[in-house]
Amino acid sequence: MTHTNVWVLGGHQSDFARNLSREGRSVADLTSEIVGGTLSTSRVPASAVEVIHVANAFGQLFTGQGHVGAMPATVEPDLWGRPATRHEAACASGGASVLAAMADLESGRYDCALVVGVELEKTVPGDAAARHLAAAAWVGHDGEGATFMWPHLFSAVADEYDRRYGLDDEHLRAIAALNLAAARRNPNAQTRAWDLPDLADASVATDDARNPVVEGRLRRYDCSQVTDGGAGVVLVSDAWLRAHPDARPAARVLGWGHRTVGLGLRQKLERDADDPYVMPHVRDAVTDAFTRARVTLEDVDGFEVHDCFTPTEYLAIDHIGLTGPGESWKAVEDGSIELGGRLPVNPGGGLIGGGHPVGATGVRMLVDATRQVGGAAGEYQVEGAATFGTLNFGGSTATTVALVVGAVQGD
């Protein structure tokens, strides 16, 4: 079968600092905003879209609205009749939707795909939101006795690192401080204008009043926030570009990796207890993406990783290969992951600083990677970026999606 490239025409992200419920806006309003912004940025009319993939993880729980795959046609008349599917893979719903759209283009079934990720989470109080989000764990098996499922589980990941290699919590606090500081450069980041404590000061970072414990060894600022928001991209094939010679794609998807394992955290930790990597399937997803892209980490200029909690970024650092297994602290201490460092990670604030509307996160990562390789990331631009990676987790890494994105030659 003839290989076809997948190109990103453009992308759009909402302002993750907004509270759409307080604005009186619904998931339909958010979808309309993302569809319109994405098509405008991509410079294509809705009538050019041939297939739609919608990422939405928790629609029924937070809004009561299911069947969100039909929402783009509901709010945009020119999308009426286009085939559309909703994808749910917890926090990796966005990555899964991108992969589904890529498969449509690579198969030749369609040549122009719209991918939309949307999530409203501020429709309920924080405790109720935590209960809704816990549905992506292994219900009845994970988190027994925990008040907050996900901080509990990822605190356990940090404990596993500590058991195997040793882990100083100061390195987790440093990741939080870095991403919250990076968010100030990002005009769409949720925390960009927050009045935050100085987490670089150890006495502040461990102060129970200013940075209280949430679960286990994780504190408030180790955690990403409940977020309303959306993101979208338009992907096209080589055939579409040949038929539209005046179009200027913003990036090319060079490679991808996708691995899924069991839901339970203990399942994963026990199964791979003897592996040097805490989550070897995550490492495999990354190396699959590198292999398909025909690159190594040395060829990559930066990474968007899934820092829903500081231990997940700690895990991502060694699993993308920036350090040896269990040695992520080295990249934290030596500045490698900072803007201007050897491999900037989450230069726009990631999930902790930027925000985490679950279904939209994987799509937002692709939007930011596209901006980076196109030189359009503004104050959080990685100088000279030509190749960028993304790493999107769902659940306790039960679903992992990695992408490598490259600049368009000649730009």
Side-chain angles (χ1 to χ4, degrees):
M1 186 174 71
T2 302
H3 173 76
T4 185
N5 293 299
V6 174
W7 305 87
V8 185
L9 278 191
H12 177 75
Q13 174 194 338
S14 68
D15 181 349
F16 285 3
R18 293 165 61 193
N19 185 318
L20 296 177
S21 294
R22 288 180 182 171
E23 295 177 16
R25 295 180 180 272
S26 67
V27 67
D29 297 312
L30 177 60
T31 304
S32 179
E33 176 186 336
I34 298 302
V35 168
T38 301
L39 294 175
S40 176
T41 303
S42 302
R43 299 181 296 279
V44 294
S47 58
V49 172
E50 298 173 7
V51 66
I52 305 164
H53 292 275
V54 178
N56 176 261
F58 297 106
Q60 288 96 321
L61 294 175
F62 281 98
T63 69
Q65 179 65 63
H67 203 175
V68 184
M71 193 58 75
T74 303
V75 300
E76 172 47 67
D78 285 343
L79 294 178
W80 201 272
R82 300 299 188 278
T85 306
R86 172 193 174 184
H87 301 269
E88 185 278 307
C91 302
S93 299
S97 295
V98 170
L99 291 180
M102 290 173 58
D104 271 345
L105 302 182
E106 290 165 337
S107 72
R109 180 177 292 178
Y110 304 105
D111 290 311
C112 182
L114 171 65
V115 182
V116 174
V118 291
E119 205 80 62
L120 264 65
E121 298 174 4
K122 295 182 178 180
T123 57
V124 298
D127 288 356
R131 290 193 294 272
H132 291 343
L133 294 168
W138 192 9
V139 176
H141 296 263
D142 278 334
E144 185 177 354
T147 301
F148 300 105
M149 176 70 77
W150 293 111
H152 170 81
L153 291 181
F154 285 112
S155 178
V157 170
D159 290 342
E160 181 68 11
Y161 265 99
D162 205 359
R163 183 187 71 80
R164 294 192 191 189
Y165 300 108
L167 176 62
D168 188 335
D169 286 352
E170 286 190 12
H171 294 121
L172 301 183
R173 305 294 106 79
I175 288 171
L178 179 62
N179 289 343
L180 289 164
R184 298 195 181 282
R185 301 188 290 260
N186 183 348
N188 288 313
Q190 184 171 6
T191 69
R192 64 185 184 270
W194 286 16
D195 183 13
L196 297 166
D198 180 9
L199 298 179
D201 183 331
S203 65
V204 173
T206 57
D207 185 295
D208 289 340
R210 287 179 284 185
N211 194 22
V213 172
V214 178
E215 289 277 354
R217 65 203 297 165
L218 298 194
R219 294 176 177 269
R220 174 186 292 166
Y221 294 111
D222 288 299
C223 308
S224 60
Q225 307 301 314
V226 171
T227 312
D228 288 347
V233 292
V234 173
L235 305 179
V236 298
S237 66
D238 290 333
W240 194 93
L241 286 183
R242 286 194 296 269
H244 300 81
D246 293 333
R248 293 181 58 81
R252 181 163 68 95
V253 180
L254 303 177
W256 58 273
H258 181 196
R259 298 289 178 119
T260 304
V261 297
L263 283 167
L265 176 62
R266 187 53 52 190
Q267 270 187 308
K268 292 187 270 290
L269 296 181
E270 291 178 355
R271 181 185 178 97
D272 296 312
D274 296 328
D275 196 284
Y277 289 98
V278 171
M279 301 288 184
H281 60 281
V282 172
R283 174 65 179 162
D284 291 340
V286 173
T287 56
D288 286 349
F290 287 168
T291 298
R292 290 186 173 108
R294 299 180 181 179
V295 301
T296 67
L297 185 64
E298 286 66 35
D299 302 309
V300 178
D301 299 305
F303 243 98
E304 290 290 329
V305 307
H306 201 98
D307 62 313
C308 49
F309 300 93
T310 52
T312 59
E313 180 164 335
Y314 196 87
L315 182 146
I317 288 167
D318 66 354
H319 284 56
I320 64 177
L322 186 55
T323 70
E327 297 179 338
S328 298
W329 60 271
K330 293 181 178 179
V332 176
E333 282 197 353
D334 70 12
S336 290
I337 61 175
E338 298 177 19
L339 191 64
R342 180 160 57 103
L343 186 79
V345 171
N346 294 339
L351 284 63
I352 288 173
H356 182 28
V358 173
T361 286
V363 184
R364 191 279 303 163
M365 288 180 171
L366 178 55
V367 171
D368 265 328
T370 297
R371 288 173 175 157
Q372 290 288 351
V373 300
E379 291 187 21
Y380 60 100
Q381 177 68 48
V382 174
E383 185 176 357
T387 307
F388 228 81
T390 72
L391 181 59
N392 186 201
F393 299 152
S396 55
T397 75
T399 299
T400 301
V401 178
L403 298 173
V404 178
V405 179
V408 178
Q409 292 184 357
D411 279 10

